[in-house]
Amino acid sequence: MHGPVEPFKIKVVEPVKIPSEKRRQEAIREAGFNTFLLLSEDVFIDLLTDSGTSAMSDNQWAGMMLGDEAYAGSKNFYNLEKAVQDVLGYKYMVPTHQGRGAEHLMSKNLIKPGQLVPRNMYFTTSKLHVELPGGTMPDIIIDEAHDPENTHPFKGNIDLNKLQKLIDEYGAEKIAYINVEMDVNMAGGQPVSMENLRKVYEFANKEHKLKVIFDATRSSENAYFIKDREKGYEDIPIIDILREMMSYSDGCIYSAKKDCLVNIGGFLATHDKEIFEKTRSEVVVYEGLHTYGGMAGRDMEAVARGLREGTQYEYLKYRINQTRYLGELLIKENIPVVKPIGGHAVFLNALKFLPHLPREQWPAQTLSAAIYEDSGVRSMERGAVSKGRDKITGENIFPKLELVRLTIPRRVYTNTHMEYTAESIIRLYERKDTIPGLKMVHEPKYLRFFQSRFEQVNL
Ligand code: P70
């Protein structure tokens, strides 16, 4: 049987090649067993991230030629603003160079030192941008999300009891805003249900006058899951689902590098005039003028077109099913993965894959390096190295989820590439006991996973 059928044909190709076994062994050692430090040239199939790695359409490329590179008032800015209004329903939009630029502006303006920003699981850059202005990010995701085997259909949901407890303990005034991520990345690309979004907004906004800010980065993929899994949404167009989702928030930050099918870009969007005025006056300090925010005119045009294109049902169906295809090839061979298979990636459970390694030997980092060495496939550690140290005690935190992410760029790899990847992982699983662990020998201060280095320890 065939894999999910692509709703496009290929017009331009970029050659890739498999480095020799000897080169792969050298390359991963030169990179200190950190896949972020590999040269792209040494990679055959790049599943490091779905961020900025998608293939643009002919329509997006045509839009790039219509870039209006005026310093102020570029046409493309207004096209992007209109796309955000049409697709997401927010009235106001502030462009930024990518998602973390928007996180910076939002956090800086909304958080006072000592405040809390509860969220349905942390994301690395989001957590850092909450901590920099003096906030902390308690986790309020449902317990099911921390269990890789649990097949809850909306594992990204917020546990309202956890939120209530925080309010009881600290008071609502201690909470800067509630942060809800779509298609929760670190939980395995797990969606939030519309019902949950509605309830969180009612609870926050009506009962406690608290703001709700979304990380809407993978909201189109989340909308597909709502259509596919939530009663009453089967026949609703994706774009209407998206607008309803965003109506349960005061604003969002958005990394356009994912669902908008572009290589760079981001924005902040809001229904709230005050948030808009504050962030718009600050974007000029950190990003660029408020009509480009760090993007070229052509980039804004590609984002505007991609935001609309990325809501097409046939495209999303193929996209989500390609990820599931890889996941199911692995599940068939009993490889431990996070279930259900998420939107943008398949996540391997490194604690079950390499049970002979103690947490201090970084099982997910080890597995990610071993996959590269076996086949030239690049993946990303999403476990204790990513989580970092406790802000107060300085100790390493070992989260329940110690995962390797096989992230699927959009419209880039074929189903045969998925099969090649699955074969490598299955082969590795058969000889998993022979894989030695790692020790960290270099640790940077911020977002250590990007640049840390490791050495093998003897088995
Ligand atoms: C990834 C990328 C970026 C991201 C995200 C969510 C839910 C915000 C951002 C920031 C890139 C990445 C970033 C840090 C560590 C590893 C990888 N996620 N919110 O691969 O957006 O990158 O545009 O600044 O997923 O998951 P941006």
Side-chain angles (χ1 to χ4, degrees):
M1 277 300 281
H2 60 73
V5 176
E6 296 82 356
F8 53 81
K9 55 185 178 175
I10 296 164
K11 193 169 336 210
V12 178
V13 295
E14 178 184 335
V16 285
K17 58 178 195 302
I18 310 182
S20 67
E21 189 180 356
K22 182 166 165 286
R23 178 60 204 147
R24 296 197 302 271
Q25 286 167 354
E26 281 164 12
I28 197 68
R29 281 161 183 79
E30 286 166 14
F33 294 90
N34 183 346
T35 56
F36 277 107
L37 300 178
L38 285 168
L39 306 182
S40 161
E41 256 190 309
D42 285 324
V43 174
F44 174 43
I45 298 176
D46 203 347
L47 307 185
L48 183 71
T49 176
D50 63 329
S51 182
T53 52
S54 295
M56 294 206 294
S57 65
D58 49 3
N59 182 50
Q60 286 176 293
W61 279 109
M64 295 283 277
M65 290 304 290
L66 302 175
D68 171 0
E69 307 304 343
Y71 189 88
S74 160
K75 269 198 296 235
N76 313 112
F77 167 78
Y78 296 100
N79 291 346
L80 175 56
E81 187 182 56
K82 181 78 174 46
V84 169
Q85 289 166 347
D86 290 349
V87 176
L88 304 175
Y90 292 112
K91 184 164 178 198
Y92 306 109
M93 187 274 298
V94 178
T96 59
H97 75 286
Q98 59 182 74
R100 68 198 75 177
E103 286 174 337
H104 175 212
L105 296 178
M106 190 67 93
S107 310
K108 198 164 177 295
N109 279 290
L110 265 56
I111 303 170
K112 293 195 214 63
Q115 281 192 313
L116 306 175
V117 180
R119 172 163 164 139
N120 49 346
M121 202 170 268
Y122 85 105
F123 183 71
T124 51
T125 57
S126 324
K127 176 165 166 270
L128 182 59
H129 278 296
V130 162
E131 289 171 356
L132 289 174
T136 29
M137 183 179 270
D139 184 8
I140 50 164
I141 203 164
I142 56 172
D143 285 342
E144 286 87 337
H146 293 281
D147 173 6
E149 300 296 326
N150 192 301
T151 58
H152 191 296
F154 290 104
K155 257 173 138 176
N157 279 356
I158 280 186
D159 184 337
L160 279 165
N161 292 326
K162 291 187 187 171
L163 194 50
Q164 182 67 55
K165 261 200 197 141
L166 284 177
I167 292 178
D168 293 345
E169 199 173 337
Y170 299 99
E173 55 303 334
K174 188 96 198 258
I175 295 181
Y177 56 90
I178 295 163
N179 200 197
V180 188
E181 185 185 334
M182 308 286 117
D183 208 37
V184 184
N185 193 349
M186 301 300 273
Q190 305 294 337
V192 187
S193 72
M194 190 71 91
E195 187 193 10
N196 192 249
L197 293 177
R198 193 182 307 124
K199 284 191 173 153
V200 169
Y201 191 63
E202 276 167 14
F203 176 88
N205 192 277
K206 301 222 172 90
E207 291 181 37
H208 299 284
K209 298 273 165 282
L210 285 172
K211 288 200 190 310
V212 176
I213 302 293
F214 286 173
D215 181 335
T217 294
R218 293 183 182 82
S219 48
S220 301
E221 293 178 0
N222 197 113
Y224 177 86
F225 282 118
I226 289 178
K227 190 174 167 72
D228 196 43
R229 296 181 184 168
E230 194 163 347
K231 222 171 140 256
Y233 288 91
E234 306 82 343
D235 299 321
I236 312 284
I238 295 287
I239 193 163
D240 293 352
I241 297 179
L242 273 170
R243 291 170 64 110
E244 184 182 342
M245 287 161 68
M246 303 311 154
S247 75
Y248 303 130
S249 72
D250 294 283
C252 78
I253 69 92
Y254 198 113
S255 166
K257 298 173 72 172
K258 286 80 171 172
D259 283 1
C260 295
L261 301 150
V262 290
N263 306 118
I264 193 73
F267 54 85
L268 172 161
T270 177
H271 306 295
D272 182 321
K273 188 140 194 256
E274 202 186 321
I275 295 180
F276 174 61
E277 295 290 355
K278 276 190 181 164
T279 49
R280 191 170 72 144
S281 79
E282 246 176 296
V283 73
V284 299
V285 181
Y286 299 103
E287 303 281 317
L289 193 76
H290 57 275
T291 58
Y292 75 86
M295 282 182 279
R298 54 180 174 271
D299 296 331
M300 291 191 282
E301 189 58 35
V303 176
R305 293 177 183 219
L307 179 58
R308 294 181 193 277
E309 206 173 287
T311 64
Q312 285 167 8
Y313 178 72
E314 284 307 317
Y315 152 70
L316 278 171
K317 183 174 163 200
Y318 144 78
R319 154 71 174 160
I320 301 293
N321 280 314
Q322 188 180 44
T323 306
R324 189 157 74 197
Y325 181 62
L326 172 60
E328 280 172 1
L329 291 173
L330 297 173
I331 291 173
K332 251 194 271 171
E333 300 298 324
N334 296 319
I335 308 295
V337 299
V338 174
K339 293 175 196 143
I341 300 299
H344 66 307
V346 175
F347 289 73
L348 304 173
N349 180 357
L351 294 182
K352 273 204 161 173
F353 202 114
L354 300 175
H356 63 287
L357 297 186
R359 298 292 301 256
E360 291 74 14
Q361 288 186 20
W362 318 106
Q365 189 77 30
T366 302
L367 181 55
S368 177
I371 294 168
Y372 171 76
E373 201 169 325
D374 182 74
S375 57
V377 172
R378 168 152 73 171
S379 58
M380 188 192 287
E381 190 270 0
R382 299 277 72 176
V385 180
S386 296
K387 181 83 186 183
R389 291 176 181 274
D390 186 283
K391 220 173 61 166
I392 297 158
T393 65
E395 292 295 315
N396 279 311
I397 307 170
F398 294 107
K400 280 200 190 131
L401 298 180
E402 173 76 8
L403 309 175
V404 169
R405 188 179 74 173
L406 300 156
T407 339
I408 319 297
R410 296 164 184 79
R411 307 191 290 209
V412 170
Y413 291 113
T414 65
N415 297 328
T416 314
H417 288 121
M418 299 300 113
E419 290 154 17
Y420 174 92
T421 301
E423 276 170 22
S424 161
I425 291 161
I426 293 162
R427 198 164 47 231
L428 215 50
Y429 194 59
E430 280 161 12
R431 61 170 185 88
K432 60 190 164 56
D433 303 339
T434 65
I435 301 172
L438 297 172
K439 68 167 186 274
M440 199 186 284
V441 293
H442 170 69
E443 179 177 353
K445 182 165 173 214
Y446 294 113
L447 303 173
R448 66 180 179 181
F449 53 90
F450 283 133
Q451 292 146 355
S452 49
R453 301 183 69 86
F454 300 81
E455 280 170 10
Q456 272 180 335
V457 292
N458 293 331
L459 262 184

